[in-house]
Structure formats: C-alpha cells, structure tokens
Amino acid sequence: MEETSVPKFFMRDGALELSSTKELVHLEARDLSVYYGKRVGVGRVNLSLYRNRVTAFIGPSGCGKTTFLRSLNRMHDLTPNVRVQGQVLLDGSDIYGPGTDPIQIRRRIGMVFQKPTAFPTLSVYDNVVAGLKMVGLRDRKRLDEAAERSLQQAALWDEVKDRLRAPAAGLSGGQQQRLTIARALAVEPEILLMDEPTASLDPISTQAIEDLLGTLKQQVTIAIVTHNMQQAARISDYTAYFLNGELIEMDSTSKMFTKPNDKRTEAYITGRFG
Amino acid sequence: MQQTAPSHHRRSLAYSASGDRVFSVIIALLASGVLILAVLMAWELYSGGADPIRRFGLLGFLTGTEWDPVIKKQFGAWPYVLGTILTSIGALLLSFFPALGAAIYAAEYAPRPVAVVINYLLDLTAAVPSVIYGLWGIFIMAPFLRDHFYLPTYLWAANHAPGLLPFLGNPSGYGLLTAILILAAMVVPFTAALARDAIALVPAPQREAAYALGATRWEVMQMAVLPLSRTGIIAGAFLALGRALGETMAVTMVIGNSHKLPYTLFGGAATMPSVIANEFTEAVEPLHLESLIALGFYLFIVALVLNIVGGLIIRRQAALARGVL
Ligand SMILES: Nc1ncnc2c1ncn2[C@@H]1O[C@H](COP(=O)(O)OP(=O)(O)O)[C@@H](O)[C@H]1O
Ligand SMILES: [Mg+2]
C-alpha cells in the first residue's frame, strides 16, 4: 500500500485483496424505496450484500440507514403507514413477493438493534434459545448445545456460564447486547442485520463485538450500520455511504476510505477523520 | 432566590419561588386531607362497630353463622362474608380470561378502527352507573336466565339427577349465580382496561426483538409482551376484585337477599354490602346498627388492602417497563 489519506491502523490485513476475488451476491436490493406516509425515508436503492462479507452502512444521522436496514427483513410490515417499493432478492427470490411469509424471512435474516433488547424476565438461557423453542426444538441436549455455541460465538459464554438461570435483567448493557447477538445467532440465520449495535456500549464491550464479527462472517453474511468511521474501516469488507435517503456509493471498504468515487463520500469521510 | 432568576426574565408570582412554596403547601394540605379522611373513616367505622366486634370477637364476628337481629340478637357475619367471597371470586374467575382476551385483541390484533371502538366501549361500559346494571339485571338478565337456563336445568335435574337439586336451589332467577354473572359483566371492562394499559406499557423494542426472531403474533405475546405485563395484569385483577367486593347496588338488586345457609347455585344469597344496604334503614336496635357498621369496617379494610397492593404492583410494573426501555 502506498500513500493514502487514511491512517494505516484503519486497514485490516487482506481487506484490499477482496475486490479481486469472486463475490457471491446473497441479498440484493433493487430499486428499493421506503415511504413514511408521503415522505421518502430512503429512495431507489440498489445494493448487494455479499456472502460471508461484512458490509457497513455509514452516513449522517437521518440519512435512512435504519430505514433501509429494516426493509431487508420486512420489519416495516409491523409499522402502520410505511410503504416499501421495489425488490429485495434473497438468493434470487423476492422477499416481498406474493406468498412469501415474513416470519420465515425473519428467521433467515436476523436483526440486532441499537439498544439491547434482551427479554428481561426470561433467564439468560431462555433468551438464547427463545428462537429455537419457537421453531419447535424441544430436545434438551440440542438446546443446551445451541445455547453454549451461540454464547461462545457472541463472546459471552465465560461471563454467563455460571448464571444461565438468572434473569437477563441482571446483565450489564454490554452483556445484554451480546446476549441479543447470541439469541439472533442461535437460530442460525443466513444474514445478520445490525443497527448500530455498539452505539450504547462501553469500549470493552464494543471491542468484544467487533472481534466477534471477524469470525462470525465465516458463517453469516453481515450488514452493520455504524456511526463510527473507524469502526466501519476496522470491521467491514464493503462500505455503503448514504446521504439524504439515497445510496451515494458502495465499494470495498479500502477503496471507499482511500479513493472514493464521489466527492460527497470523500467530504464525509475526510471530514469525519478530521 | 435572586441568584437563580436572571433579572431580565420577568416572572409572574406563580412562577416565583414564594408562589411555588405557597402552592406546595396548599397541595400538601389537600393531599394530607385525603389521607386524614381515610384514617378518620376507618376509625369511625371501627368505633361505630366496636361493640359487636368486642362482644363476638374480631374473628368471631366474621365466622359466626347466625345473623338474627330480631329474636336471638345474634350477629355473626359469616353468611355475608361467604356471599361476598363467592360472588366476587366467582365474578373474577368468570371475567378474567374474557377481559384479558379483549385486552390482547384490542392491543395486538385488532385493526386500528376496531381497536378504537373496543377501547371506547370498554371505557363507556366502565362508566355506566351500577344501578343501571341492576335494572338491566332485574328486568332482562334474571328473567332470561330463569327461562332459558335455570328452569330447564332444574327440570332436567329433577328428572335425571335429583341428587343435584339441593345444590341448584330455587331457580327464581334472583340469586347467587345471577349476582356473579352481573358482577362479572361489570368488572370485565375494568380488568380489560387495566390489562390493556399494562400491555401498552411494554416497550415497542421488546416486541420488535421478538418479531425479528421470526415470532408470530402469538409468540410475540408469549415471549415479549405477557412476561412484562403479567404483574400489571394481576394488579388489575386485584383492583377488579376490590371493586367486585364492594359492589352494592346491582348485587343487592339481583341476589335475592337471603342469608340462609347453605347457599345454592340459583338460590338467594347476600353479601356484606347488600345486607348493609338492605337492613340499614330498618336497624332500630343499636347492636344491629353497630353490627352493620362493623361489616363496613371489615369491607373497608379489605378494599383498602387490595387497592394498596394493586397500586404497588402497578407502580413496580411501570418502573420495570421503563427500566427496559
Ligand atoms: N417511523 C417513522 N415515521 C416517519 N418518519 C420516519 C420514521 N422513522 C424514520 N423516519 C424518517 O426517515 C428518515 C431516515 O431515518 P432513519 O432511517 O432512522 O435514519 P438513520 O438511521 O440513518 O439515522 C429520517 O428523515 C427520519 O426522520
Ligand atoms: Mg438509525
């Protein structure tokens, strides 16, 4: 790597080679628009998530990152007066197509929210296996295994293995956030959507979650919204920049942070890096 | 005072510190007035009923089965205590699940306009004066039940299971079961409204988290909504029980007013409030009057406890819901 405007520590080893390898499209938004009543939340987005890659969504607050993310697993279905237009192809078939069951879609495409949403009255264990029990898994041994595996993946196992039966409300914010990640992973989703998962966390928990993403992507495709430019640079393979409800551009993270095509991206990134 | 108020801000008296202090004193006086009133009421009821309570015992008064103001001048409240327990618990059991169902439906399932109508009806029916329920009970519900349910059941039992007859009792239409049914109808809107509020307190992110796991609506209820609203719903049941215990007018109008034990399903019965309402005007003996006041004392205490417990649970629930946000 020669001179770039980005300090070296933002680059992860191997990130640059990505653009040369063959990428498989996992989820593809085509001409996707979301309307809140008459207002456009996000307009005409074309964007692909690649299999086993981490894609970061960046952009100023209110630019439509959350709105777009929630359209990828039909979370907007739950809010009145929200209209989604366009297509989202999961392995080539439209999740908004006729006869598609949103519940099945959400089982395949999991979501982690900005604020920890552990079920406070359920035990740590019951939180993790909630989704599995829902799909009818009753076998004790398999539930136990899944719980341990997911908690390991979420880097939480060591901290909670002695208090699996205690209510989740007793965990710290960072632990609860990792618990919700474990819960989302337990059902073995193909894709995990994360909306600023570390925004309300302390640096140590943030670190734990960032570390986790690197190994996690071997099994799942990840999209993560983040406000933190360094975080995007550290953890993602691809970066998409949103502004005023539009996707400005998306490219490999190394390219986006060194030679973005669009002046607006450059302004945002250099502005953010100071 | 001066240092907190920048001089360029003109402040009215109401917003000045001294105005604030006057206001808080007035509020404190009013609030303590309510408290003092409650304590005085309890004390008045106790001293008014002290004589029979002393004579028959604090518990003995409640468990004595003989209530005879005329000949033996015995006052045991058990028939009324039993009637109160049977009607209010019966009404609670009958109304709880329908009310919960209505609340869940209104909060989670019903399309917006339907939910609005349901909520409006719940609030409306909760506000109907109980004498209206009583009139409706006397003129519509009791005759209907008698003709279409009590009498046929009674006749069927007479032919096929005569052993049941002593449990069924006189199918006149005015009795225990009618009172239970009308009480149940009266507390449904109450329980449902409280359950609905408890459900509405559950933070939206909790629901979304469940949906994001691929939950169906019912699974969202089970996983996210009911665990967090459970305590509030139970508190609502406590308050509904308090209401059913004290309900006087409608019950007195349909319960048949008989304190002859044992009670039967269809036959007449009486409750603590109903006997107070019925006998107050004709209680010429001091001991009789004092016994009625003593009944009021016990009712007051039970209602107070139920309301305090229910209120505490609701406050804890609200705090829990906020803490989760
Ligand atoms: N529920 C909603 N109703 C109406 N407008 C909304 C709603 N949610 C978001 N918006 C609007 O949509 C735009 C994009 O919001 P959002 O997706 O939350 O942005 P971001 O996540 O990038 O901060 C904003 O202008 C916001 O005000
Ligand atoms: Mg957002």
Side-chain angles (χ1 to χ4, degrees), chain A residues 145-195:
Chain A
E145 282 165 10
E148 179 168 352
R149 173 179 47 75
S150 319
L151 285 167
Q152 294 272 20
Q153 282 181 319
L156 188 60
W157 174 251
D158 290 333
E159 288 161 63
V160 299
K161 63 173 187 282
D162 298 322
R163 50 202 283 204
L164 291 174
R165 301 286 152 202
L171 302 184
S172 75
Q175 289 173 326
Q176 290 195 25
Q177 187 65 305
R178 276 176 284 152
L179 182 60
T180 62
I181 294 176
R183 185 175 69 192
L185 292 175
V187 293
E188 302 189 20
E190 303 169 28
I191 298 176
L192 190 59
L193 309 174
M194 307 176 101
D195 192 357

Side-chain angles (χ1 to χ4, degrees), chain B residues 230-248:
Chain B
R230 192 170 45 207
T231 45
I233 292 170
I234 291 170
F238 268 83
L239 296 181
L241 187 64
R243 197 175 165 193
L245 278 176
E247 179 47 47
T248 312

Side-chain angles (χ1 to χ4, degrees), chain B:
Chain B
M1 278 170 259
Q2 264 80 2
Q3 66 270 31
T4 58
S7 53
H8 56 276
H9 278 188
R10 269 194 56 218
R11 298 193 149 206
S12 69
L13 180 66
Y15 279 95
S16 73
S18 62
D20 211 28
R21 203 164 303 145
V22 171
F23 186 66
S24 67
V25 168
I26 293 175
I27 289 290
L29 278 177
L30 288 174
S32 52
V34 175
L35 212 71
I36 291 167
L37 200 66
V39 172
L40 275 182
M41 223 145 93
W43 173 248
E44 273 304 309
L45 286 169
Y46 177 75
S47 58
D51 197 27
I53 292 177
R54 253 198 303 278
R55 190 177 304 200
F56 305 113
L58 198 65
L59 268 178
F61 177 74
L62 290 181
T63 54
T65 53
E66 192 109 49
W67 181 276
D68 183 351
V70 188
I71 299 158
K72 293 195 207 145
K73 315 251 184 285
Q74 273 282 328
F75 295 96
W78 179 243
Y80 308 118
V81 173
L82 181 66
T84 302
I85 293 175
L86 287 176
T87 50
S88 48
I89 301 276
L92 186 66
L93 291 180
L94 278 186
S95 65
F96 184 72
F97 289 102
L100 185 58
I104 290 177
Y105 181 74
E108 304 284 323
Y109 286 83
R112 260 290 153 76
V114 179
V116 168
V117 171
I118 292 178
N119 288 333
Y120 179 73
L121 284 178
L122 286 181
D123 294 340
L124 186 77
T125 46
V128 172
S130 69
V131 68
I132 305 292
Y133 278 96
L135 280 176
W136 178 73
I138 285 188
F139 292 114
I140 297 166
M141 187 168 135
F144 178 87
L145 286 171
R146 178 190 60 212
D147 295 344
H148 295 97
F149 180 53
Y150 298 167
L151 265 178
T153 311
Y154 194 82
L155 291 177
W156 176 88
N159 286 328
H160 300 278
L164 281 181
L165 291 181
F167 298 102
L168 292 180
N170 177 7
S172 70
Y174 303 93
L176 189 62
L177 186 56
T178 308
I180 289 177
L181 289 172
I182 205 149
L183 259 185
M186 290 176 75
V187 296
V188 158
F190 200 67
T191 316
L194 287 164
R196 176 195 67 198
D197 295 347
I199 288 172
L201 269 181
V202 175
Q206 285 282 312
R207 288 162 218 261
E208 290 202 334
Y211 276 118
L213 274 178
T216 61
R217 271 201 251 208
W218 174 237
E219 288 162 342
V220 173
M221 280 309 292
Q222 281 181 299
M223 209 172 351
V225 177
L226 287 180
L228 277 184
S229 51
R230 192 170 45 207
T231 45
I233 292 170
I234 291 170
F238 268 83
L239 296 181
L241 187 64
R243 197 175 165 193
L245 278 176
E247 179 47 47
T248 312
M249 211 54 219
V251 171
T252 310
M253 288 164 87
V254 300
I255 199 169
N257 300 306
S258 148
H259 65 267
K260 195 170 143 296
L261 291 178
Y263 287 146
T264 56
L265 194 58
F266 300 158
T271 65
M272 295 161 83
S274 80
V275 71
I276 295 175
N278 268 322
E279 296 189 359
F280 208 72
T281 49
E282 56 204 48
V284 281
E285 293 276 340
L287 189 61
H288 188 191
L289 191 62
E290 285 157 10
S291 298
L292 292 176
I293 296 177
L295 278 179
F297 169 72
Y298 285 107
L299 259 184
F300 182 84
I301 296 298
V302 174
L304 195 69
V305 168
L306 280 176
N307 275 285
I308 288 176
V309 170
L312 285 180
I313 299 178
I314 284 184
R315 267 182 44 191
R316 234 203 59 187
Q317 143 93 13
L320 181 67
R322 274 199 308 276
V324 170
L325 268 170

